[in-house]
């Protein structure tokens, strides 16, 4: 269970999170939405212990991130916005990277784990390819395989479908749901794509200017949709489109 308790965060004198509180159950998929600069990535980094929030705390399976950031971080896998693969390592070396550094892992078990993870994300046969040879969707899959190899209880995805065409984005959505069903992880996904969110989310958290403007199920979200939320959704979608167009430029 993930319990976010009154989290506020400032960068210098700028407040980016304002008294955020919500909780999700184990194996749920939480989607965090909101406009660009709304604090989504910051909240994700607070959840996995990379940032200690200025105020409040987050309990991960009853363990305080504030007090035990290291042990919480070991339960978390992170799939980065632009996949963040090592360009000089091939696919299987990218997936093995964290495993080789994990205490207590038998080295001779690594190839089998890597093969299992690549199969799970539908990348059998791509072992020897270099990141430059991969499509955007394949890069995200390698990022997910690399995170899952560490056997996390929680997987955090920062905009996993940004910059992907709709068909590839749909396949990544499917993969997020399959991963939850097959591996039993709890998933926290930052997304701006409302149709995708309504497909995959068990719970939606909508951030606006650092505040939690909405928290609930997709059904509640549909019912409660106010004009202001619709505007925010549209704004978030447009901004994210521009952002990813810029990021993809050579
Ligand atoms: N490390 C940092 N130092 C200072 N300001 C930051 C830092 N990270 C993010 N910010 C600022 O905090 C705000 C929220 O950022 P972020 O959480 O990345 O938003 P989102 O992911 O919703 O686009 C932005 O105004 C951003 O510029
Ligand atoms: Mg972000």
């Amino acid at each position: 269970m993930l319990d976010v308790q009154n989290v506020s965060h400032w960068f210098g004198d700028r407040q980016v999170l304002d008294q955020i509180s919500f909780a999700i159950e184990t194996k749920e998929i939480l989607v965090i939405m909101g406009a660009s600069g709304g604090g989504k990535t910051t909240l994700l980094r607070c959840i996995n212990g990379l940032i200690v929030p200025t105020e409040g705390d987050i309990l991960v399976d009853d363990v305080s991130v504030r007090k035990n950031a290291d042990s919480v971080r070991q339960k978390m896998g992170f799939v980065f916005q632009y996949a963040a693969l090592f360009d000089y390592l091939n696919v299987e070396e990218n997936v093995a990277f964290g495993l080789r550094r994990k205490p207590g892992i038998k080295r001779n078990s690594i190839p089998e784990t890597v093969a299992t993870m690549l199969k799970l994300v539908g990348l059998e046969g791509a072992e020897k390819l270099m990141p430059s040879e991969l499509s955007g969707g394949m890069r995200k899959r390698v990022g997910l395989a690399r995170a899952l190899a560490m056997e996390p209880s929680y997987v955090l995805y920062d905009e996993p479908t940004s910059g992907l065409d709709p068909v590839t984005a749909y396949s990544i959505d499917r993969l997020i749901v399959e991963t939850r069903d097959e591996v039993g992880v709890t998933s926290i996904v930052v997304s701006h794509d409302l149709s995708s969110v309504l497909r995959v989310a068990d719970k939606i958290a909508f951030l606006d200017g650092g505040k939690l403007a909405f928290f609930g199920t997709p059904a509640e979200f549909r019912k409660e949709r106010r004009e202001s939320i619709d505007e925010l959704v549209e704004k978030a979608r447009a901004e994210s489109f521009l952002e990813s167009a810029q990021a993809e430029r050579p």
Side-chain angles (χ1 to χ4, degrees):
M1 183 187 168
L2 178 78
D3 192 358
V4 177
Q5 301 181 333
N6 247 312
V7 165
S8 296
H9 192 67
W10 280 260
F11 288 115
D13 56 8
R14 213 198 126 135
Q15 185 168 19
V16 295
L17 296 175
D18 189 355
Q19 300 194 38
I20 307 286
S21 293
F22 61 81
I24 61 164
E25 300 298 325
T26 300
K27 292 196 191 183
E28 282 191 324
I29 297 180
L30 166 71
V31 181
I32 302 171
M33 298 191 78
S36 182
K40 304 182 296 296
T41 298
T42 304
L43 179 58
L44 221 50
R45 291 165 65 93
C46 288
I47 290 171
N48 82 346
L50 277 174
I51 295 178
V52 179
T54 316
E55 285 173 8
D57 201 358
I58 296 167
L59 302 186
V60 177
D61 303 331
D62 297 323
V63 175
S64 155
V65 177
R66 181 174 288 288
K67 295 193 190 116
N68 290 295
D70 281 346
S71 75
V72 166
R73 220 173 289 137
Q74 280 165 21
K75 292 183 163 194
M76 303 268 171
F78 207 106
V79 181
F80 294 92
Q81 187 163 3
Y82 301 109
L85 303 180
F86 299 108
D87 287 332
Y88 56 91
L89 298 178
N90 70 23
V91 165
E92 64 183 3
E93 290 162 348
N94 262 287
V95 175
F97 186 87
L99 282 176
R100 292 189 200 287
R101 285 154 190 80
K102 190 175 174 182
I105 288 273
K106 290 205 194 79
R107 292 192 77 80
N108 60 8
S109 72
I110 292 177
E112 195 189 329
T113 306
V114 170
T116 306
M117 294 306 142
L118 287 175
K119 188 167 175 213
L120 189 70
V121 301
L123 278 182
E124 290 156 295
E127 291 82 357
K128 305 295 179 198
L129 294 178
M130 299 303 287
S132 60
E133 299 174 282
L134 305 176
S135 67
M138 290 168 89
R139 294 173 70 94
K140 306 273 168 148
R141 285 169 191 269
V142 176
L144 176 57
R146 185 173 62 184
L148 290 176
M150 306 295 280
E151 300 187 324
S153 313
Y154 294 77
V155 181
L156 281 50
Y157 303 81
D158 199 352
E159 311 229 11
T161 61
S162 76
L164 300 179
D165 64 86
V167 175
T168 310
Y170 183 77
S171 75
I172 298 291
D173 285 345
R174 291 299 324 150
L175 192 57
I176 291 172
V177 175
E178 279 165 28
T179 302
R180 189 265 315 264
D181 294 346
E182 284 170 31
V183 188
V185 295
T186 304
S187 312
I188 301 157
V189 187
V190 171
S191 178
H192 57 273
D193 177 357
L194 186 63
S195 56
S196 140
V197 170
L198 294 174
R199 268 199 305 268
V200 307
D202 296 306
K203 297 282 162 57
I204 298 172
F206 201 106
L207 294 183
D208 180 26
K211 287 194 167 66
L212 190 62
F214 174 87
F215 180 80
T217 63
E220 288 162 348
F221 187 79
R222 281 198 189 88
K223 207 160 63 185
E224 224 190 89
R225 271 174 74 175
R226 292 150 288 180
E227 224 167 86
S228 62
I229 293 271
D230 279 357
E231 269 169 32
L232 291 172
V233 167
E234 189 48 37
K235 192 166 143 235
R237 199 188 61 76
E239 280 172 356
S240 171
F241 174 77
L242 291 175
E243 211 174 77
S244 60
Q246 272 167 1
E248 303 292 311
R249 264 209 307 257

